[in-house]
């Protein structure tokens, strides 16, 4: 078993919504020893933190954008042959881009 101080750090990091691999990487940065992902999972399970609550999931998935062009949503669609008046032998693609901050298309 790991020492109590490491276990408390694992619990605090898990309550912030980090998964076991992220917790391991965070612990490795500050110490020479870091428990493995399985040990971290067992610690979380002992304290009832092995599954995130809906509020924690929602908070974890938030994407915060501060300026235009920081995040773009891309969609590409292949048009059927013969749908255009131009060259019917070619394949055409329709590309759509939406800015995540300003919602400009």
């Amino acid at each position: 078993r790991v020492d109590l101080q490491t276990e408390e750090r694992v619990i605090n990091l898990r309550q912030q919504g980090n998964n076991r691999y992220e917790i391991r990487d965070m612990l490795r940065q500050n110490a020479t020893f870091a428990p493995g992902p399985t040990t971290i999972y067992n610690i979380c399970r002992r304290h009832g933190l092995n599954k995130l609550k809906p509020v924690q999931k929602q908070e974890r998935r938030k994407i915060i954008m501060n300026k235009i062009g920081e995040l773009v949503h891309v969609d590409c669609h292949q048009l059927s042959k013969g749908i255009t008046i131009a060259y019917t032998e070619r394949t055409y693609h329709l590309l759509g881009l939406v800015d995540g901050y300003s919602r400009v298309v």
Side-chain angles (χ1 to χ4, degrees), residues 36-100:
T38 306
T39 305
I40 293 170
Y41 172 78
N42 289 333
I43 292 169
C44 294
R45 192 180 66 197
R46 268 197 312 270
H47 294 278
L49 298 171
N50 55 329
K51 291 186 180 179
L52 291 177
K53 295 176 177 54
V55 176
Q56 290 172 321
K57 284 183 186 177
Q58 190 176 30
E59 184 67 29
R60 184 77 175 140
R61 291 184 181 173
K62 279 187 183 175
I63 298 173
I64 300 170
M65 296 160 288
N66 298 321
K67 58 185 178 180
I68 293 174
E70 201 169 14
L71 178 68
V72 178
H73 306 280
V74 179
D75 188 22
C76 183
H77 181 71
Q78 180 179 343
L79 298 174
S80 301
K81 288 188 177 184
I83 201 167
T84 61
I85 299 172
Y87 305 101
T88 57
E89 303 303 317
R90 287 187 175 175
T91 303
Y92 291 93
H93 294 85
L94 182 64
L95 182 66
L97 302 166
V98 179
D99 182 52

Side-chain angles (χ1 to χ4, degrees), residues 1-11 23-24 27 31-44 46-47:
R1 285 185 75 152
V2 297
D3 59 312
L4 293 176
Q5 185 181 15
T6 304
E7 192 164 326
E8 287 175 13
R9 291 193 62 220
V10 168
I11 293 167
I23 293 171
R24 180 198 56 196
L27 292 175
T32 56
F33 168 75
T38 306
T39 305
I40 293 170
Y41 172 78
N42 289 333
I43 292 169
C44 294
R46 268 197 312 270
H47 294 278

